């Protein structure tokens, strides 16, 4: 394992109809409970749906990585949940395009109708686009870099890429990456009702510097490889394989870009998660990475996620290459 390698050590989901990360490739099961009902405790009243979903997925990902819920003490000390890592070296990267649009619309309507003095002092701070990442960080004591991306269809893969970049550059040792999109009336009005349904949920993964994960005895599920953004899927796959020439294994198609059947670029087996879970927007890239990593862990196969894969030289289950296209997050 190289010092700058970044590995995934934990996965979490908050998606109705999904029993966990390992079920994401199968599609939803009818009658699944709303995941936000799992949250308990004070302070939930003024949190929007995106934030509640993200908190659920974050908690599950941290637990899956063998980390306690609150990471607010220096590394090596003991807390209520066991040994803690340094919260100052633990960051949050959230991808969401529609996250708090309901709060923004409600606040705008209030100001239009009755002026700014009629706004709620409890809700007004929640109009900031980084509210979800902030609440996740506050709740879990993650005091490192805090980033929110809301830049369209590649936002989810961009979030995984930026988490890897922050860790590889030495800015962080650990990062919690979350992709979340809520469904509510303002989202329906903005997105429209045509095509597949909308994804309503959150997925999360824990990324860590390989030495930091090894030091606490964490088992790496996959190693995050290079990232490339190109105009079409074949060019994106070729670009990431230029640095990591592992044999391609499978392709998670960009949203709205059908693979033309059962195959994607270069004849790779194709998976369209938006057909299973709905149009996922900013959550898609993280959803692809969580689903693929979970499948690798389930099967034990050295398959690729995000476009190509191969055996890690350090015991990691697979190599993840992130290939984003101009039209969507392809993995």
């Amino acid at each position: 394992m190289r010092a700058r390698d970044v590995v995934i050590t934990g996965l979490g989901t908050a998606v109705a109809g999904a029993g966990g990360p390992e079920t994401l490739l199968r599609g939803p099961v009818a009658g699944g409970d709303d995941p936000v009902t799992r949250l308990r405790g004070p302070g939930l009243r003024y949190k929007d749906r995106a934030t509640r979903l993200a908190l659920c997925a974050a908690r599950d990902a941290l637990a899956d990585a063998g980390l306690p819920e609150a990471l607010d003490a220096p590394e090596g000390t003991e807390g209520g949940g066991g040994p803690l890592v340094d919260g100052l070296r633990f960051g949050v990267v959230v991808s969401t395009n529609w996250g708090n649009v309901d709060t923004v619309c409600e606040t705008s309507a209030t100001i239009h109708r009755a002026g700014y003095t009629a706004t709620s002092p409890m809700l007004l701070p929640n109009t900031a686009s980084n509210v979800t990442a902030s609440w996740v960080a506050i709740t879990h004591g993650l005091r490192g870099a805090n980033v929110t991306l809301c830049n369209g269809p590649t936002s989810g893969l961009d979030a995984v890429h930026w988490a890897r970049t922050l860790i590889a550059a030495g800015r962080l040792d650990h990062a919690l990456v979350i992709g979340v999109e809520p469904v509510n009336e303002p989202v329906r009005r903005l997105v429209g009702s045509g095509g597949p349904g909308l994804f309503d949920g959150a997925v999360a993964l824990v990324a860590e510097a390989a030495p930091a994960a090894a030091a606490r005895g964490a088992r790496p599920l996959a190693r995050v490889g290079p990232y490339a953004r190109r105009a079409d899927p074949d060019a994106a796959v070729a670009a990431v394989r230029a640095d990591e020439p592992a044999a391609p294994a499978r392709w998670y198609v960009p949203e709205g870009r059908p693979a033309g059947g059962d195959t994607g670029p270069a004849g790779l087996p194709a998976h369209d998660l938006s057909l299973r879970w709905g149009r996922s927007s900013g959550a898609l890239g993280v959803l692809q990475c969580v689903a693929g990593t979970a499948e690798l862990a389930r099967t034990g196969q050295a398959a690729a996620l995000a476009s190509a894969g191969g055996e890690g030289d350090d015991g990691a289950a697979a190599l993840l290459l992130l290939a984003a296209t101009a039209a969507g997050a392809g993995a």
Side-chain angles (χ1 to χ4, degrees):
M1 182 79 69
R2 295 165 295 188
R4 289 178 177 267
D5 280 347
V6 177
V7 295
I8 295 174
T9 58
L11 306 172
T13 59
V15 184
E22 68 281 356
T23 68
L24 291 175
L25 285 181
R26 306 175 202 166
V29 176
D33 293 333
D34 186 346
V36 300
T37 60
R38 307 196 318 249
L39 292 176
R40 297 289 186 272
L44 296 176
R45 179 180 178 186
Y46 297 104
K47 290 183 174 64
D48 58 37
R49 179 165 181 79
T51 298
R52 295 186 186 197
L53 288 165
L55 286 170
C56 288
R59 183 180 61 188
D60 287 358
L62 291 170
D64 189 48
L67 293 164
E69 289 192 9
L71 308 171
D72 54 4
E75 187 171 0
T77 64
E78 296 289 327
L84 303 182
V85 300
D86 187 355
L88 289 171
R89 301 285 298 170
F90 209 129
V92 179
V93 184
V94 169
S95 171
T96 182
N97 290 322
W98 311 119
N100 64 338
V101 69
D102 52 343
T103 305
V104 172
C105 289
E106 179 184 345
T107 302
S108 299
T110 298
I111 294 173
H112 178 74
R113 181 179 64 253
Y116 74 90
T117 57
T119 59
S120 165
M122 299 300 295
L123 289 179
L124 197 58
N126 292 342
T127 60
S129 61
N130 68 332
V131 61
T132 296
S134 297
W135 273 122
V136 168
I138 291 168
T139 300
H140 294 289
L142 311 181
R143 295 177 288 166
N146 192 280
V147 179
T148 298
L149 291 92
C150 46
N151 61 309
T154 68
S155 185
L157 283 188
D158 293 341
V160 178
H161 164 64
W162 278 108
R164 175 185 179 273
T165 299
L166 287 165
I167 294 171
R171 177 68 175 81
L172 300 172
D173 293 326
H174 327 265
L176 183 60
V177 184
I178 301 170
V180 57
E181 295 293 4
V183 173
N184 47 52
E185 190 55 34
V187 171
R188 292 189 186 96
R189 292 201 306 267
L190 284 168
V191 179
S193 57
L198 298 174
F199 174 78
D200 180 37
V203 287
L205 61 86
V206 175
E208 303 186 66
R216 64 180 192 85
R219 180 176 67 92
L221 303 174
R223 178 166 63 89
V224 183
Y227 166 94
R229 184 199 294 263
R230 297 293 187 272
D232 64 82
D234 289 299
V237 171
V240 294
R241 291 191 66 203
D243 291 329
E244 295 278 4
R250 64 182 62 182
W251 169 252
Y252 290 78
V253 299
E255 194 163 90
R257 291 283 299 274
D262 296 328
T263 60
L268 300 179
H271 300 277
D272 188 346
L273 294 179
S274 64
L275 293 181
R276 292 180 171 89
W277 299 101
R279 290 173 288 171
S280 309
S281 193
L284 180 61
V286 186
L287 179 66
Q288 291 169 333
C289 288
V290 170
T293 301
E295 183 68 5
L296 295 172
R298 185 187 71 82
T299 62
Q301 297 175 354
L305 187 242
S307 87
E311 283 287 354
D313 57 5
D314 48 17
L319 173 67
L320 317 183
L321 306 184
L322 311 179
T325 74

